[in-house]
Amino acid sequence: MDSKLKKLASLIKSKDAKVIFFVGAGISTNCGIPDFRSPKTGLYSNLQKLNLPFPEAVFDINYFKRNPKAFYTLAEEMYPGKYLPSKFHYFIRLCQEKKILKRCYTQNIDALERVAGVHEDYIVEAHGSFAKIHCIKCHTEMDSVTWKKLMKKGIPRCQKCKSYVKPDIVFFGESLPAKFFDLWEKDSKDDFTVAIVAGTSLEVYPFAVLPSEISSKTTRVLINREICADFEDCPRKSDLVMLADCDHAVNKLVDLLGWQDDLEILIEEGKKLIESPATFTLEDSYTTDKKKKTSEAEKTARALAKKVAEVEKVATPGKDDTSVDELIKGIEKIDIKSVRAKK
């Protein structure tokens, strides 16, 4: 991996370098946010305890209109301001500060690119985010302060027409943002120095095809737990594939670039903006500690499991406090192990 990182560093430091990113959930797992599909720790796995008709129903617009509780159970855990961005997020910000960032296409809904200080002009949130909230019927916008206050009382409703409101996250059954298509039409014709694909299995379309449409003059880089999509099916001779944790790779890369101090400054500034920085960790997932420590993602998964159990208490008439407590204890006893998420 070291020789490939040296090659990547050389490209980034080249004259008039232009860098584009394509990122997924894998850049956020070190922040304490579980990914969606990992067994036991995955968000879908925990939310399934709400007896969803299928795991993805939490992001199905038709299901939301009938039963928004499942989504709002998730929203309470994932709302921005609770999680500190990862080193990889701050590396994207650092590329912006160095004036080499051209675009960041993200599948993530956590808005951590924004929290890290990446300007909205550079970000394309392919699947939307928590950044804005609208009514699903009349489309009236609701400010985040009002939305969070209403969430504490129950399911937020539009103050104009009383229909449900939700963040501008793209649900199944909804169209992707126009910004995604408009900017990709432009960006796909550009020649970038480097296209960095990180923390994604590239399984969800149309996002999955973007790296395959990048110009042949651009060096594609994959930083991921495993090889995937076009990097496996139609590899290019110039591809740089590094099967590694995203933050682990960035740590080494910024050292080679001589940007470590700059990165640390951004991270320290970011900590001051987060309401509860102690909740999160920037520790690299590659640890030499032989003791099995509970990861931040596992802690979040357990917190979500408790919320699910409490929801079951309300949703199931006759279920007393004792049975709910037993359910919570049972969930907590599940042998949650560190799972290398498929990204």
Side-chain angles (χ1 to χ4, degrees):
M1 184 174 77
D2 289 348
S3 62
K4 294 177 181 178
L5 281 172
K6 288 180 180 178
K7 173 64 175 176
L8 175 56
S10 176
L11 290 168
I12 290 174
K13 291 175 102 173
S14 63
K15 184 179 179 181
D16 299 324
K18 293 190 295 183
V19 182
I20 185 170
F21 289 87
F22 303 95
V23 299
I27 72 167
S28 294
T29 51
N30 285 341
C31 307
I33 301 177
D35 68 1
F36 287 95
R37 295 178 175 83
S38 289
K40 296 183 181 179
T41 60
L43 292 170
Y44 283 154
S45 176
N46 278 284
L47 288 168
Q48 191 58 27
K49 298 179 181 71
L50 286 174
N51 297 318
L52 298 172
F54 51 94
E56 294 83 359
V58 67
F59 292 121
D60 184 278
I61 189 60
N62 292 320
Y63 186 78
F64 177 84
K65 290 175 181 178
R66 299 194 306 271
N67 181 12
K69 183 61 182 178
F71 169 75
Y72 273 100
T73 302
L74 172 68
E76 288 180 43
E77 287 300 315
M78 292 189 67
Y79 189 77
K82 184 176 180 180
Y83 297 96
L84 182 72
S86 69
K87 290 184 179 179
F88 199 96
H89 288 105
Y90 282 110
F91 176 68
I92 299 172
R93 161 76 183 281
L94 192 52
C95 288
Q96 172 183 282
E97 300 304 310
K98 300 292 183 180
K99 302 189 185 305
I100 61 173
L101 176 64
K102 294 304 174 182
R103 201 82 67 205
C104 175
Y105 286 81
T106 177
Q107 298 174 92
N108 299 334
I109 62 173
D110 51 38
L112 287 179
E113 295 86 5
R114 292 173 182 260
V115 177
V118 180
H119 195 278
E120 185 176 6
D121 290 348
Y122 292 110
I123 304 171
V124 178
E125 292 158 328
H127 301 154
S129 76
F130 284 92
K132 292 184 179 180
I133 302 103
H134 286 88
C135 173
I136 63 172
K137 185 176 182 180
C138 72
H139 308 296
T140 298
E141 185 171 356
M142 178 178 287
D143 66 87
S144 60
V145 174
T146 301
W147 185 66
K148 284 192 284 186
K149 285 182 179 178
L150 291 176
M151 260 207 304
K152 293 179 180 179
K153 300 177 182 179
I155 306 299
R157 288 181 177 270
C158 176
Q159 294 175 308
K160 182 178 180 180
C161 74
K162 305 304 178 184
S163 295
Y164 293 130
V165 298
K166 76 171 185 66
D168 291 355
I169 294 168
V170 179
F171 279 25
F172 296 106
E174 294 184 309
S175 300
L176 268 62
K179 182 179 180 179
F180 172 83
F181 298 102
D182 292 343
L183 286 181
W184 183 243
E185 184 178 0
K186 174 185 176 182
D187 291 342
S188 62
K189 299 172 183 176
D190 203 348
D191 292 329
F192 299 94
T193 309
V194 177
I196 299 177
V197 181
T200 173
S201 58
L202 293 176
E203 292 181 345
V204 180
Y205 290 82
F207 191 98
V209 303
L210 303 190
S212 67
E213 296 179 354
I214 281 288
S215 166
S216 59
K217 296 179 181 179
T218 299
T219 298
R220 303 188 308 176
V221 178
L222 177 68
I223 303 175
N224 206 36
R225 290 291 193 185
E226 56 189 46
I227 195 166
C228 60
D230 208 53
F231 288 92
E232 182 176 24
D233 300 333
C234 300
R236 301 177 185 178
K237 289 184 179 180
S238 60
D239 285 348
L240 299 176
V241 176
M242 288 166 270
L243 304 185
D245 172 80
C246 296
D247 283 359
H248 180 72
V250 159
N251 262 336
K252 291 193 171 188
L253 179 58
V254 292
D255 278 339
L256 291 169
L257 291 166
W259 295 356
Q260 189 63 257
D261 289 344
D262 295 332
L263 182 65
E264 290 303 324
I265 289 171
L266 291 179
I267 291 171
E268 288 305 313
E269 289 176 351
K271 286 180 180 179
K272 297 175 184 178
L273 299 176
I274 300 297
E275 296 175 358
S276 301
T279 306
F280 313 107
T281 178
L282 289 177
E283 289 180 355
D284 196 281
S285 64
Y286 285 85
T287 177
T288 56
D289 188 353
K290 294 183 180 180
K291 294 180 180 180
K292 293 183 178 179
K293 297 181 179 179
T294 302
S295 72
E296 291 300 322
E298 289 166 357
K299 290 178 183 177
T300 302
R302 284 175 174 160
L304 182 57
K306 287 188 177 183
K307 285 185 179 292
V308 169
E310 293 297 338
V311 172
E312 282 194 331
K313 176 183 176 182
V314 176
T316 308
K319 182 168 283 191
D320 57 24
D321 291 339
T322 302
S323 60
V324 171
D325 289 341
E326 289 175 353
L327 175 59
I328 293 173
K329 289 178 182 178
I331 293 171
E332 290 183 322
K333 288 180 181 178
I334 293 174
D335 183 20
I336 300 178
K337 298 179 180 179
S338 296
V339 180
R340 289 191 174 184
K342 182 179 180 181
K343 306 178 181 78

